[in-house]
Amino acid sequence: GESVGLHLPTLSVQEGDNSIINCAYSNSASDYFIWYKQESGKGPQFIIDIRSNMDKRQGQRVTVLLNKTVKHLSLQIAATQPGDSAVYFCAENIYTRQLTFGSGTQLTVLP
Amino acid sequence: GAGVSQSPSNKVTEKGKDVELRCDPISGHTALYWYRQSLGQGLEFLIYFQGNSAPDKSGLPSDRFSAERTGGSVSTLTIQRTQQEDSAVYLCASSLEGQQPQHFGDGTRLSIL
């Protein structure tokens, strides 16, 4: 079956640097993509989303880029802070039904 | 509270026992989802409720799993005759009808001995 996957399972960055987390998806029919942050013992927390008719969307310190040609999604975090350390999941959706999740990337922010 | 509430937060039970997990969605959210997350893995879809429509049960792994939603609000996920492979975190999410994003609770960590 089609699924969402992540390029790197772990990512370590220095505090203050920018982080880029990548995600590949395989279902060209997906019309909605979302990034979640999950801290230990907590449920996924919504970060930012993007619809397939957009290429880029910005939030507070975060930017999501969507490249439909190569089926690639990325999350950019500006000026990474210790509180950003968590597992980040991308997910895709078709017709507002269930989300298909990738396996996650562990982001560690180094002092 | 204003978020999705799940109970219990932790559940330890013996193999073969039945368990019930509860989810209180955000008020006004008509869509409710159950997912399962095994250790170090992504989330696996289980079941989806939308308003008065028949639920989408396509993600339930076996007939030991069932879920219901009473009065369009609270949902209960039931696992009968639990097995060790059922050990996981069970997460519930809700959203407005036909909309994203889904908002998640903190889950129930289920351990089968």
Side-chain angles (χ1 to χ4, degrees):
Chain A
E2 295 185 273
S3 62
V4 176
L6 289 166
H7 292 309
L8 298 172
T10 61
L11 177 65
S12 296
V13 298
Q14 293 293 138
E15 181 178 354
D17 286 352
N18 297 333
S19 302
I20 300 176
I21 301 172
N22 296 302
C23 178
Y25 67 94
S26 58
N27 192 338
S28 58
S30 293
D31 61 358
Y32 174 85
F33 304 87
I34 188 169
W35 283 98
Y36 284 97
K37 172 187 180 182
Q38 187 175 30
E39 296 173 291
S40 181
K42 299 290 187 181
Q45 175 186 356
F46 168 74
I47 301 174
I48 192 167
D49 56 5
I50 188 168
R51 298 209 170 270
S52 59
N53 60 351
M54 302 173 67
D55 297 323
K56 178 180 181 179
R57 192 172 186 206
Q58 289 184 294
Q60 187 176 13
R61 284 201 306 119
V62 294
T63 300
V64 56
L65 298 177
L66 176 62
N67 186 329
K68 294 181 287 293
T69 301
V70 295
K71 298 178 187 172
H72 184 267
L73 191 69
S74 69
L75 176 69
Q76 300 179 2
I77 305 173
T80 312
Q81 303 170 0
D84 294 328
S85 292
V87 176
Y88 289 80
F89 293 97
C90 64
E92 62 179 325
N93 172 261
I94 303 173
Y95 310 129
T96 70
R97 296 175 71 83
Q98 67 269 22
L99 294 169
T100 300
F101 282 81
S103 55
T105 292
Q106 174 70 57
L107 175 65
T108 301
V109 181
L110 305 173
Chain B
V4 176
S5 178
Q6 292 188 246
S7 62
S9 55
N10 287 282
K11 177 72 175 179
V12 181
T13 192
E14 295 179 345
K15 176 182 174 182
K17 299 288 187 181
D18 297 351
V19 295
E20 286 189 352
L21 312 179
R22 176 187 170 104
C23 173
D24 281 281
I26 293 172
S27 178
H29 281 191
T30 57
L32 187 148
Y33 307 78
W34 283 98
Y35 293 85
R36 178 170 69 175
Q37 185 175 30
S38 299
L39 185 63
Q41 299 297 314
L43 280 69
E44 171 192 7
F45 166 73
L46 297 177
I47 188 169
Y48 160 62
F49 295 91
Q50 174 58 64
N52 295 321
S53 301
D56 178 352
K57 304 179 181 180
S58 61
L60 294 179
S62 78
D63 59 7
R64 296 186 295 104
F65 288 71
S66 63
E68 63 178 20
R69 189 176 186 190
T70 55
S73 181
V74 172
S75 178
T76 302
L77 177 69
T78 301
I79 308 173
Q80 296 178 309
R81 305 181 302 282
T82 52
Q83 304 294 315
Q84 287 188 333
E85 60 263 29
D86 299 335
S87 295
V89 177
Y90 289 82
L91 290 156
C92 175
S94 71
S95 71
L96 292 170
E97 180 177 353
Q99 296 187 31
Q100 299 287 347
Q102 298 173 24
H103 298 273
F104 283 84
D106 286 337
T108 294
R109 183 175 300 276
L110 178 63
S111 300
I112 309 300
L113 303 179

